[in-house]
Amino acid sequence: MPRSRKRLAGAAGPDKKELSGKHIKTENSNETSAHVENSSPETVSDSKNCGKNLSNYWLMKSEPESRLEKGVDVKFSIEDLKAQPEQTACWDGVRNYQARNFLRAMKLEDEVFFYHSNCKEPGIAGLMKIVKEAYPDHTQFEKNNPYYDPSSKKDNPKWFMVDVQFIRIMKRFISLAELKTYHQAHKASGGPLKNMALFTRQRLSVQSLTQEEFDFILSLEEKEPS
């Protein structure tokens, strides 16, 4: 869902992000898209969880391969972010309440894994950071936008976005399959990825990570794929 400073967003449903001419995306299939998660305010309680017990580490999903959503290409990869002016984009188009609440909980300089979703090989492609805290997502008010939400009002917006900035591409791509292997092993052993939201809340396009999860995943860069 991100775009160059302004990105396009997605519709209610699993949640995805969109573009700035590119969205940050949704995942479906095995993983599911970010944008399109359910948009029911199932989430007032989630919003509580968001304010507390919050880490400063996140995982955000976007689609690196072209796909049209109501005539708009939602493709946005880590390479697209790197190519933006100042290597910065807004992460718009999130249309899921829990994911939105996570966006609102983010703080400047929080670190984020950029996750490629809904593609041949999903996984963690790079690192970025939060450079502007949550503010209203303009795409909810744009009638021609695929993620327009007529029920949202400018004086009481439903949807928010943040600005992200490229840090680096991962030393090696950490695939979903590799992460799943560790998750399954850690469920038995009590390891760092035992409760990772990527597997327990697959449809969320914006997910919080513990420092233990974040550090363990970073350590995988130095290891051969399992």
Side-chain angles (χ1 to χ4, degrees), residues 16-210:
K16 343 169 180 193
K17 284 183 279 227
E18 320 288 321
L19 58 170
S20 80
K22 307 216 133 123
H23 313 170
I24 263 176
K25 318 198 152 194
T26 90
E27 348 160 29
N28 62 10
S29 63
N30 294 334
E31 331 158 54
T32 342
S33 68
H35 254 181
V36 242
E37 286 155 325
N38 303 317
S39 58
S40 70
E42 63 173 354
T43 60
V44 181
S45 58
D46 285 329
S47 116
K48 272 188 191 172
N49 295 334
C50 261
K52 299 183 174 183
N53 201 30
L54 220 36
S55 66
N56 295 110
Y57 303 99
W58 310 91
L59 179 148
M60 296 166 77
K61 299 177 180 179
S62 184
E63 297 181 27
E65 298 173 0
S66 288
R67 182 178 67 80
L68 294 181
E69 182 83 32
K70 297 183 181 176
V72 176
D73 189 352
V74 298
K75 173 185 180 295
F76 196 82
S77 66
I78 186 69
E79 291 82 6
D80 291 321
L81 176 60
K82 184 180 180 182
Q84 297 295 336
E86 300 180 13
Q87 298 184 324
T88 299
C90 64
W91 201 267
D92 58 13
V94 169
R95 296 295 183 269
N96 168 272
Y97 285 98
Q98 185 175 16
R100 176 207 66 184
N101 291 342
F102 282 141
L103 292 176
R104 295 198 299 194
M106 291 174 178
K107 302 299 179 190
L108 292 178
E109 302 298 318
D110 281 1
E111 293 184 86
V112 185
F113 283 129
F114 192 121
Y115 181 94
H116 283 173
S117 69
N118 198 23
C119 55
K120 290 177 185 174
E121 187 176 25
I124 295 171
L127 277 168
M128 56 188 180
K129 65 181 178 179
I130 303 304
V131 293
K132 184 173 180 179
E133 294 177 7
Y135 60 104
D137 179 349
H138 60 279
T139 63
Q140 65 195 301
F141 307 121
E142 297 171 354
K143 291 186 178 179
N144 295 327
N145 190 285
Y147 300 107
Y148 171 61
D149 184 351
S151 68
S152 185
K153 306 304 176 189
K154 289 192 176 181
D155 59 354
N156 187 25
K158 283 186 181 180
W159 308 112
F160 291 78
M161 61 187 183
V162 295
D163 285 0
V164 297
Q165 186 174 62
F166 175 85
I167 296 178
R168 65 177 176 86
I169 290 172
M170 299 293 282
K171 295 176 186 175
R172 72 175 182 85
F173 185 81
I174 311 295
S175 71
L176 174 65
E178 181 178 355
L179 291 169
K180 186 172 185 179
T181 298
Y182 283 108
H183 168 65
Q184 290 174 334
H186 290 180
K187 281 198 299 182
S189 67
L193 303 191
K194 61 184 181 295
N195 296 319
M196 190 178 180
L198 188 61
F199 303 101
T200 61
R201 296 299 305 274
Q202 296 99 315
R203 292 184 67 82
L204 275 178
S205 64
V206 179
Q207 303 177 357
S208 65
L209 296 172
T210 65

